[in-house]
Amino acid sequence: GLKNSFPVCYTRESVYEKLIKASELLPDGYKFVIFDAYRPIELQQSLFDSYKEKLRKENPFLSEEELIKLTLNFVALPSYDENKPSPHSTGGAIDLSICDNKGRLLNMGTYFDEMCDKANTRYYEEKIERGEILSDEELTILKNRRLLFNLMTYFDFTNFSNEWWHYDFGDQLWAYHKEKKYAIYGRTKPKFFFYI
């Protein structure tokens, strides 16, 4: 099992406030569903190691270096470096989706944390760019992902492009995408966060 996980989600106050504002623009009765937010470094290490081992079983001939590179496509490297913390260890990263007015998750094309090409935020746009015709279901998925993306980016979040569900505000990944010199948040403890 995963070590040091929390039964509830915590995030920074600014992230919480932005989520509230974004939720007010959702269609009537729709709500955000939060899957993950703050993670202690030990949990990040456990997630990284678990995914790397899964990849090792699927790709037994890859070197350790190749496995780490492949793992990094979906799981951030755990970092004790105060200047380069893992996004979730800052309280600025959040994994989420949307449910409709009956509490059903909108179809986003993959499950949360499903690590595959289809999880790429622009997967369906890229199909269109290649000249492929989308099915009605794929068009619905595209629309649902665009709803989440447009709401989150409108409130200054950035998206980790390999994962339609992952958004950042104030952490290193956010600073990189916003071309900021520094992140707002470093690694810290959940006592400084809001319960969501």
Side-chain angles (χ1 to χ4, degrees), residues 102-168:
K102 294 184 178 164
R104 298 174 300 207
L105 283 172
L106 298 186
N107 185 353
M108 296 290 186
T110 70
Y111 296 109
F112 155 69
D113 257 0
E114 188 174 332
M115 297 170 187
C116 63
D117 290 342
K118 279 186 178 182
N120 182 300
T121 305
R122 295 192 73 252
Y123 178 80
Y124 296 98
E125 284 90 347
E126 289 170 1
K127 284 184 83 167
I128 292 170
E129 290 164 6
R130 289 191 302 266
E132 296 180 39
I133 304 296
L134 299 185
S135 68
D136 288 345
E137 180 182 13
E138 290 175 320
L139 287 169
T140 297
I141 294 165
L142 174 70
K143 184 183 95 178
N144 292 340
R145 287 188 184 188
R146 286 297 101 199
L147 174 62
L148 179 61
F149 180 87
N150 289 331
L151 278 173
M152 297 300 284
T153 57
Y154 181 78
F155 287 97
D156 206 27
F157 287 91
T158 58
N159 171 247
F160 176 53
S161 63
N162 288 357
E163 302 173 350
W164 60 259
W165 57 83
H166 180 105
Y167 288 85
D168 298 277

Side-chain angles (χ1 to χ4, degrees), residues 8-62:
V8 295
C9 292
Y10 295 93
T11 193
R12 296 281 185 163
E13 182 177 6
S14 60
V15 172
Y16 173 79
E17 289 170 353
K18 288 175 178 296
L19 285 171
I20 294 298
K21 288 178 183 173
S23 72
E24 292 169 356
L25 297 181
L26 285 167
D28 282 346
Y30 283 42
K31 299 194 180 337
F32 286 128
V33 177
I34 311 298
F35 298 121
D36 202 1
Y38 167 76
R39 287 183 200 146
I41 193 84
E42 299 83 6
L43 175 57
Q44 189 67 32
Q45 185 71 57
S46 181
L47 289 167
F48 187 87
D49 293 344
S50 296
Y51 188 54
K52 188 172 79 167
E53 286 312 306
K54 176 183 180 289
L55 291 173
R56 185 186 312 279
K57 288 176 185 167
E58 294 171 359
N59 306 279
F61 301 108
L62 290 181

Side-chain angles (χ1 to χ4, degrees), residues 71-88:
T71 304
L72 288 170
N73 284 331
F74 288 98
V75 183
L77 190 64
S79 173
Y80 287 91
D81 184 341
E82 294 296 330
N83 295 317
K84 297 177 184 174
S86 308
H88 280 282

